Amino acid sequence: MPIFIFVFVFNSGLSEHPKTIFLTAKENWGFYLRLIIYNNILLPIGVWLVLQWLPIDPLYTNGLTIFFLTAGASTVIAFMMEVKLRSTYAVTSMILLTFMTVLVIPILLPFMIEGASITSFELVQSLVTSILLPLLIGMGLRLFFESFVDTIRPFILKAQKILMNVAIYGMMIGLIPELIQLIGSGVVVTGVGLVVLAFLGGYLIEVKNSSQSMKLTSGFVGGQKNGAVTFAVAINNFSDPNMILIIAVIGALSTVIFSMMSTYIGKNQKVLI
């Protein structure tokens, strides 16, 4: 999974010129403002409120709370590439939402989970290697070695496709014993249900938007969360391995769901768009 994340974030850097990302954010500031308000404020607070009323073990409640606090998933880029739509919105949303997540989590986390805390500096450390470094390397090559990038990109895309299948479905197969163990607790059904609702909420916010790329980006961003930040927060505050387990299972299931969805949309694009 870390290799897969590195490859497709690196590929995003190869695909998008820094100027394009800046102009995309500038020209569509209203879209990104809605993404920030929904994903960094409304969604995590809404999920936290819902979880207070559900009969789930507090440890699992805390795990789901942390999961939905971490916006800015890089996997959304791969999904947008899979549906064969413009991925610039996804790349820009990853950068902006990750930045906002680093600022917002230290404020919301102690309020939602008593005794839990993390600093922005601790979060940045985990994000540098997983997102910032491969993105900057890709952008640097795109800026200064364009002909070289045109040569290697087809091979990078093939590697990304293979790694995506190996990482996502391999991780899911590896977690089957843990998944069976958690089914009876109700947390898996709850987590998947919240993920689907988060996707629908993100999509519906942009339902009047004429851009299908923006609508799907908003939906995928709502349902997918930033694994690097999620695990950094969980490990920093909890020693119980079950906390890591529930985050890993829900993260894997959400990734599988949206991977299958993006593949289906990509194959039936003319019908659905």
Side-chain angles (χ1 to χ4, degrees):
M1 181 58 79
I3 296 172
F4 164 55
I5 292 174
F6 186 97
V7 168
F8 73 69
V9 175
F10 171 68
N11 187 43
S12 302
L14 294 179
S15 306
E16 308 294 343
H17 195 286
K19 185 178 180 181
T20 303
I21 294 176
F22 174 77
L23 289 176
T24 299
K26 181 180 178 182
E27 293 171 0
N28 302 281
W29 65 269
F31 170 69
Y32 290 108
L33 180 60
R34 291 191 295 274
L35 283 186
I36 289 169
I37 293 173
Y38 176 66
N39 289 280
N40 290 117
I41 301 173
L42 297 181
L43 181 59
I45 291 177
V47 167
W48 175 71
L49 289 172
V50 169
L51 289 172
Q52 305 311 301
W53 294 93
L54 297 178
I56 298 175
D57 187 300
L59 181 73
Y60 295 145
T61 297
N62 289 339
L64 290 175
T65 298
I66 292 172
F67 181 79
F68 282 96
L69 268 170
T70 58
S74 49
T75 45
V76 175
I77 301 167
F79 299 151
M80 292 306 296
M81 290 180 177
E82 190 69 17
V83 299
K84 302 177 178 66
L85 291 175
R86 187 179 178 189
S87 61
T88 310
Y89 300 119
V91 176
T92 309
S93 71
M94 178 191 71
I95 296 170
L96 292 177
L97 290 175
T98 298
F99 175 73
M100 288 304 301
T101 295
V102 168
L103 296 180
V104 169
I105 278 190
I107 299 171
L108 289 182
L109 183 64
F111 173 75
M112 293 179 171
I113 303 175
E114 186 177 355
S117 65
I118 195 164
T119 65
S120 294
F121 177 72
E122 289 170 317
L123 293 176
V124 168
Q125 286 179 306
S126 67
L127 292 172
V128 168
T129 54
S130 64
I131 292 178
L132 189 60
L133 186 60
L135 189 66
L136 289 177
I137 293 173
M139 285 182 174
L141 290 174
R142 176 75 172 77
L143 275 173
F144 302 110
F145 304 99
E146 191 167 349
S147 59
F148 174 69
V149 167
D150 291 338
T151 301
I152 67 170
R153 266 212 83 208
F155 300 102
I156 298 294
L157 285 169
K158 288 181 181 179
Q160 175 181 296
K161 180 69 175 179
I162 294 170
L163 285 169
M164 180 175 178
N165 290 326
V166 171
I168 293 174
Y169 297 105
M171 181 171 62
M172 197 63 251
I173 292 171
L175 286 171
I176 286 177
E178 288 79 6
L179 181 60
I180 295 172
Q181 173 188 331
L182 289 170
I183 286 176
S185 67
V187 67
V188 173
V189 174
T190 300
V192 171
L194 290 171
V195 163
V196 173
L197 289 174
F199 168 85
L200 291 175
Y203 188 88
L204 290 174
I205 286 173
E206 299 299 321
V207 71
K208 294 184 178 180
N209 196 321
S210 59
S211 170
Q212 184 73 347
S213 294
M214 286 187 177
K215 284 190 281 193
L216 281 174
T217 296
S218 183
F220 286 139
V221 164
Q224 276 282 273
K225 299 304 163 186
N226 192 315
V229 178
T230 304
F231 284 113
V233 174
I235 292 170
N236 190 72
N237 288 279
F238 299 93
S239 58
D240 193 324
N242 286 318
M243 170 66 73
I244 307 302
L245 175 61
I246 187 56
I247 290 173
V249 168
I250 300 302
L253 285 172
S254 66
T255 304
V256 169
I257 289 169
F258 295 125
S259 175
M260 293 172 66
M261 182 186 296
S262 62
T263 300
Y264 177 79
I265 294 173
K267 290 179 178 178
N268 298 274
Q269 196 173 172
K270 292 181 180 179
V271 176
L272 297 176
I273 294 179

